[in-house]
Amino acid sequence: TVVDMARLTNRMRPVHPGEVLREDYLVPLGEKLLLGVGKDTTAQGRVGGVKVSLFDVADAAQPREVSSLRFGPSGLRGLVTDLVGGPAYAYASAFFRSMSGEAPRAVVIGRDLRDSSPSLAATVAQAAAANGFAAIECGPLPTPALALEATRRGAFAVMVTGSHIPEDRNGLKFYRPEGEITKADETAILAALEEGASGEGQASTPATPEPDAIARYQQRYAAAFAPDILRGLRIAVYQQSSVARDLMA
């Protein structure tokens, strides 16, 4: 992607914690990189959520976008190669720091069946420990099952999932104890992201395993409906990387 450097430079300004973003902005990261935050748009011009991009400006005449990461109401998504390691740690840390004034300081972590998900879940647990949160590893389970467990415990949640996007991509979804993060939370996370993260690569307290969260979710729905509610129906299942495919069996 080639970007108008003059237009980008005109939008550079500091961002303050708690500020509601009403325009695009850019943050210099050294002499060769710019972190940009704006609105994501489709090829048809439809405006989506917040878009976070990294620009290589080593050649001022040809600045280019070098990251596929997108951050918005659906969380953080992008190519696995752009997400694993430092970027996932930075966003997870920003989430925990933005919520550090609230209790309880505990987070449940779940994941889908993508090959990259276990590594990303471990990174989230490391970021949680570095920011003073107790990490509870729920393993592979559907996103609603993790949300149910978070509500049961009154804990925060991070789900590692790419939902319906291709295997070479993945994402992080962030939840408060009462549900999905808000627009104000998005702004606070981005402000914390600008401050940077610490503790990456350090030894941390292992996450506490919670293998029963998925069983509680299954029992909840088995008890809510009659055992023959689907009798006589034909059900089409698009499984991809969803853990729900195993529950539905």
Short mmCIF file of all heavy atoms in Angstrom, two decimals, residues 74 77 112 114 143 160-171 173 238-242:
data_model
loop_
_atom_site.label_atom_id
_atom_site.label_comp_id
_atom_site.label_asym_id
_atom_site.label_seq_id
_atom_site.Cartn_x
_atom_site.Cartn_y
_atom_site.Cartn_z
N SER A 74 -14.63 -6.26 16.76
CA SER A 74 -14.41 -7.71 16.75
C SER A 74 -13.07 -8.10 17.33
O SER A 74 -12.68 -9.27 17.27
CB SER A 74 -14.53 -8.24 15.31
OG SER A 74 -15.83 -8.04 14.80
N ARG A 77 -7.31 -8.54 14.64
CA ARG A 77 -7.18 -9.60 13.64
C ARG A 77 -6.08 -9.25 12.65
O ARG A 77 -5.79 -8.08 12.42
CB ARG A 77 -8.50 -9.80 12.88
CG ARG A 77 -9.60 -10.44 13.70
CD ARG A 77 -10.83 -10.69 12.88
NE ARG A 77 -11.87 -11.36 13.64
CZ ARG A 77 -13.04 -11.70 13.15
NH1 ARG A 77 -13.34 -11.44 11.89
NH2 ARG A 77 -13.93 -12.30 13.89
N ASP A 112 -9.44 -21.29 19.64
CA ASP A 112 -10.04 -22.18 18.66
C ASP A 112 -9.01 -23.23 18.24
O ASP A 112 -7.98 -23.41 18.89
CB ASP A 112 -10.62 -21.39 17.48
CG ASP A 112 -9.54 -20.68 16.65
OD1 ASP A 112 -8.34 -20.97 16.81
OD2 ASP A 112 -9.91 -19.82 15.83
N ARG A 114 -7.13 -23.44 15.42
CA ARG A 114 -6.09 -23.06 14.45
C ARG A 114 -4.72 -23.46 14.99
O ARG A 114 -4.48 -23.45 16.20
CB ARG A 114 -6.13 -21.56 14.19
CG ARG A 114 -7.38 -21.11 13.46
CD ARG A 114 -7.55 -19.60 13.51
NE ARG A 114 -8.86 -19.26 12.96
CZ ARG A 114 -9.06 -18.88 11.70
NH1 ARG A 114 -8.03 -18.74 10.88
NH2 ARG A 114 -10.28 -18.63 11.28
N THR A 143 -16.32 -19.52 21.58
CA THR A 143 -16.27 -18.19 22.18
C THR A 143 -17.40 -17.96 23.19
O THR A 143 -17.14 -17.44 24.28
CB THR A 143 -16.32 -17.12 21.07
OG1 THR A 143 -15.20 -17.30 20.19
CG2 THR A 143 -16.25 -15.72 21.67
N VAL A 160 -8.72 -16.40 21.75
CA VAL A 160 -7.84 -16.47 20.58
C VAL A 160 -8.61 -17.18 19.48
O VAL A 160 -8.82 -18.39 19.54
CB VAL A 160 -6.54 -17.22 20.89
CG1 VAL A 160 -5.64 -17.27 19.65
CG2 VAL A 160 -5.80 -16.57 22.06
N THR A 161 -9.05 -16.43 18.48
CA THR A 161 -9.84 -17.02 17.40
C THR A 161 -9.82 -16.14 16.16
O THR A 161 -9.80 -14.92 16.26
CB THR A 161 -11.30 -17.25 17.83
OG1 THR A 161 -12.04 -17.82 16.74
CG2 THR A 161 -11.97 -15.96 18.27
N GLY A 162 -9.83 -16.76 15.02
CA GLY A 162 -9.93 -16.04 13.77
C GLY A 162 -11.33 -16.10 13.19
O GLY A 162 -11.58 -15.62 12.09
N SER A 163 -12.27 -16.71 13.95
CA SER A 163 -13.66 -16.86 13.50
C SER A 163 -13.69 -17.48 12.10
O SER A 163 -13.16 -18.56 11.90
CB SER A 163 -14.37 -15.51 13.53
OG SER A 163 -14.43 -15.01 14.85
N HIS A 164 -14.25 -16.77 11.12
CA HIS A 164 -14.46 -17.36 9.80
C HIS A 164 -13.34 -17.03 8.82
O HIS A 164 -13.39 -17.47 7.67
CB HIS A 164 -15.76 -16.82 9.21
CG HIS A 164 -15.77 -15.32 9.09
ND1 HIS A 164 -16.02 -14.51 10.17
CD2 HIS A 164 -15.54 -14.50 8.04
CE1 HIS A 164 -15.94 -13.24 9.77
NE2 HIS A 164 -15.65 -13.22 8.50
N ILE A 165 -12.32 -16.26 9.24
CA ILE A 165 -11.27 -15.86 8.30
C ILE A 165 -10.30 -17.01 8.04
O ILE A 165 -10.28 -17.99 8.80
CB ILE A 165 -10.53 -14.59 8.79
CG1 ILE A 165 -9.89 -14.83 10.17
CG2 ILE A 165 -11.49 -13.42 8.85
CD1 ILE A 165 -9.14 -13.63 10.71
N PRO A 166 -9.49 -16.95 6.97
CA PRO A 166 -8.64 -18.09 6.59
C PRO A 166 -7.63 -18.50 7.66
O PRO A 166 -7.33 -17.75 8.59
CB PRO A 166 -7.92 -17.57 5.33
CG PRO A 166 -8.84 -16.53 4.78
CD PRO A 166 -9.44 -15.87 5.98
N GLU A 167 -7.10 -19.70 7.50
CA GLU A 167 -6.17 -20.31 8.46
C GLU A 167 -4.91 -19.49 8.67
O GLU A 167 -4.30 -19.53 9.74
CB GLU A 167 -5.82 -21.73 7.98
CG GLU A 167 -4.73 -22.43 8.76
CD GLU A 167 -5.17 -22.85 10.17
OE1 GLU A 167 -6.38 -22.97 10.41
OE2 GLU A 167 -4.28 -23.08 11.00
N ASP A 168 -4.47 -18.74 7.64
CA ASP A 168 -3.24 -17.98 7.78
C ASP A 168 -3.41 -16.70 8.60
O ASP A 168 -2.49 -15.91 8.75
CB ASP A 168 -2.65 -17.64 6.41
CG ASP A 168 -3.54 -16.71 5.59
OD1 ASP A 168 -4.73 -16.55 5.95
OD2 ASP A 168 -3.05 -16.14 4.58
N ARG A 169 -4.61 -16.52 9.15
CA ARG A 169 -4.91 -15.35 9.98
C ARG A 169 -5.45 -15.82 11.34
O ARG A 169 -5.86 -16.96 11.49
CB ARG A 169 -5.95 -14.44 9.30
CG ARG A 169 -5.46 -13.90 7.97
CD ARG A 169 -6.57 -13.22 7.19
NE ARG A 169 -6.09 -12.80 5.89
CZ ARG A 169 -5.60 -11.59 5.61
NH1 ARG A 169 -5.56 -10.68 6.57
NH2 ARG A 169 -5.15 -11.30 4.42
N ASN A 170 -5.39 -14.91 12.30
CA ASN A 170 -5.94 -15.23 13.61
C ASN A 170 -6.28 -13.92 14.31
O ASN A 170 -6.12 -12.84 13.72
CB ASN A 170 -4.96 -16.05 14.45
CG ASN A 170 -5.67 -17.01 15.38
OD1 ASN A 170 -6.78 -16.74 15.87
ND2 ASN A 170 -5.05 -18.15 15.64
N GLY A 171 -6.76 -14.01 15.54
CA GLY A 171 -7.15 -12.78 16.22
C GLY A 171 -7.30 -12.96 17.71
O GLY A 171 -7.24 -14.07 18.24
N LYS A 173 -9.96 -11.62 20.85
CA LYS A 173 -11.18 -10.92 21.24
C LYS A 173 -11.11 -10.64 22.74
O LYS A 173 -10.80 -11.53 23.53
CB LYS A 173 -12.40 -11.77 20.93
CG LYS A 173 -12.70 -11.91 19.44
CD LYS A 173 -14.02 -12.65 19.22
CE LYS A 173 -14.38 -12.68 17.73
NZ LYS A 173 -15.67 -13.35 17.49
N TYR A 238 -20.78 -25.55 9.22
CA TYR A 238 -19.54 -25.05 8.62
C TYR A 238 -18.51 -25.05 9.73
O TYR A 238 -18.50 -24.19 10.59
CB TYR A 238 -19.77 -23.63 8.07
CG TYR A 238 -18.51 -22.98 7.52
CD1 TYR A 238 -17.82 -23.54 6.46
CD2 TYR A 238 -18.03 -21.80 8.08
CE1 TYR A 238 -16.68 -22.96 5.97
CE2 TYR A 238 -16.89 -21.20 7.58
CZ TYR A 238 -16.21 -21.77 6.53
OH TYR A 238 -15.08 -21.18 6.03
N GLN A 239 -17.63 -26.04 9.75
CA GLN A 239 -16.80 -26.26 10.92
C GLN A 239 -15.53 -25.43 10.94
O GLN A 239 -15.20 -24.82 11.94
CB GLN A 239 -16.44 -27.74 11.04
CG GLN A 239 -15.68 -28.30 9.85
CD GLN A 239 -15.40 -29.78 10.05
OE1 GLN A 239 -16.19 -30.52 10.61
NE2 GLN A 239 -14.25 -30.22 9.60
N GLN A 240 -14.76 -25.37 9.89
CA GLN A 240 -13.47 -24.71 9.82
C GLN A 240 -12.67 -24.98 11.08
O GLN A 240 -12.33 -26.10 11.38
CB GLN A 240 -13.62 -23.20 9.57
CG GLN A 240 -12.32 -22.56 9.09
CD GLN A 240 -12.46 -21.11 8.75
OE1 GLN A 240 -13.50 -20.49 8.92
NE2 GLN A 240 -11.42 -20.51 8.24
N SER A 241 -12.39 -23.94 11.90
CA SER A 241 -11.57 -24.12 13.11
C SER A 241 -12.39 -24.04 14.37
O SER A 241 -11.85 -23.90 15.46
CB SER A 241 -10.47 -23.06 13.14
OG SER A 241 -11.05 -21.77 13.15
N SER A 242 -13.71 -24.14 14.27
CA SER A 242 -14.58 -23.97 15.42
C SER A 242 -14.60 -25.21 16.32
O SER A 242 -14.77 -26.32 15.84
CB SER A 242 -16.01 -23.67 14.96
OG SER A 242 -16.90 -23.69 16.03
#
